[in-house]
């Protein structure tokens, strides 16, 4: 079982890490950001689009906010039409995640969540706490891939240790 403090801590960590990754990726040449780097979603920019898409779909399951612009995971790499729109959308999404996290203080985190999973092709019910943990773990997973690419380009995205979260 997770506690509301975990949710707010992870939302802060998520926003901090996204700021670092985007600031670092912003120093890359656009062609390098868009080049296939062997990541699951190809490039740094495509993977960041996928993360925005996934954050939107999960937050729409946790709340009543609208879901992503793209209809499914195969189109998730096109969630934002360009780099400047992607950066602005990320800032907005992180703010929405932080607002949602703050509201979890009174939420029943032991409840179940039911949704239609496009990935599984069926309705799924799982503990909300598991889904929230997955939500944050998914972000960390893909940012780790991106950090490896940034480092390979001799860039320094910054600390990633959870205990160093400002």
């Amino acid at each position: 079982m997770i506690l509301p403090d975990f949710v707010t801590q992870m939302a802060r960590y998520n926003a901090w890490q996204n700021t670092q990754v985007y600031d670092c990726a912003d120093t890359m040449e656009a062609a390098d950001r868009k080049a296939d780097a062997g990541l699951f979603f190809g490039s740094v920019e495509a993977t960041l689009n996928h993360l925005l898409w996934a954050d939107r779909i999960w937050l729409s399951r946790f709340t009543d906010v609208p879901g992503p612009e793209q209809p499914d995971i195969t189109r998730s790499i096109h969630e934002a039409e360009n780099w400047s729109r992607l950066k602005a959308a990320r800032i907005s999404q992180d703010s929405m995640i932080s607002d949602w996290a703050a509201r979890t203080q009174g939420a029943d985190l032991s409840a179940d969540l039911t949704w239609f999973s496009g990935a599984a092709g069926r309705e799924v019910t799982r503990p909300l706490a598991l889904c929230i943990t997955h939500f944050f773990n998914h972000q960390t997973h893909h940012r780790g891939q991106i950090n490896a690419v940034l480092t390979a380009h001799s860039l320094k995205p910054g600390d990633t240790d959870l205990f160093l979260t400002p």
Side-chain angles (χ1 to χ4, degrees):
M1 172 64 172
I2 63 172
L3 299 173
D5 286 346
F6 169 82
V7 180
T8 55
Q9 172 67 40
M10 292 307 295
R12 278 195 322 277
Y13 178 76
N14 174 62
W16 174 53
Q17 289 300 298
N18 283 333
T19 297
Q20 290 190 152
V21 165
Y22 273 78
D23 286 351
C24 195
D26 207 24
T27 67
M28 297 177 83
E29 295 291 329
D32 290 336
R33 228 182 10 254
K34 294 178 181 185
D36 189 335
L39 304 178
F40 189 78
F41 290 95
S43 70
V44 166
E45 194 163 325
T47 301
L48 290 171
N49 265 289
H50 167 74
L51 270 175
L52 175 65
W53 178 89
D55 287 358
R56 285 177 169 173
I57 202 159
W58 278 106
L59 199 59
S60 74
R61 293 170 181 161
F62 300 150
T63 69
D64 60 353
V65 300
E69 293 179 17
Q70 297 301 322
D72 57 47
I73 196 169
T74 62
R75 300 278 309 145
S76 68
I77 62 171
H78 304 292
E79 185 65 12
E81 63 194 41
N82 61 53
W83 181 243
S84 58
R85 184 166 180 240
L86 179 58
K87 289 188 305 183
R90 179 76 265 167
I91 292 167
S92 175
Q93 189 67 30
D94 286 344
S95 178
M96 291 171 55
I97 291 169
S98 293
D99 291 347
W100 159 75
R103 290 191 308 274
T104 65
Q105 294 304 310
D108 180 8
L109 296 174
S110 65
D112 283 340
L113 178 68
T114 300
W115 74 98
F116 181 84
S117 168
R122 61 183 169 81
E123 188 173 275
V124 177
T125 300
R126 295 290 184 269
L128 177 60
L130 176 71
C131 295
I132 291 170
T133 302
H134 167 75
F135 172 64
F136 290 118
N137 190 55
H138 178 259
Q139 297 162 354
T140 301
H141 163 70
H142 285 300
R143 273 194 310 264
Q145 294 176 323
I146 293 166
N147 274 328
V149 173
L150 296 173
T151 302
H153 278 84
S154 300
L155 300 172
K156 297 182 181 181
D159 289 321
T160 60
D161 293 319
L162 180 60
F163 71 90
L164 295 174
T165 305

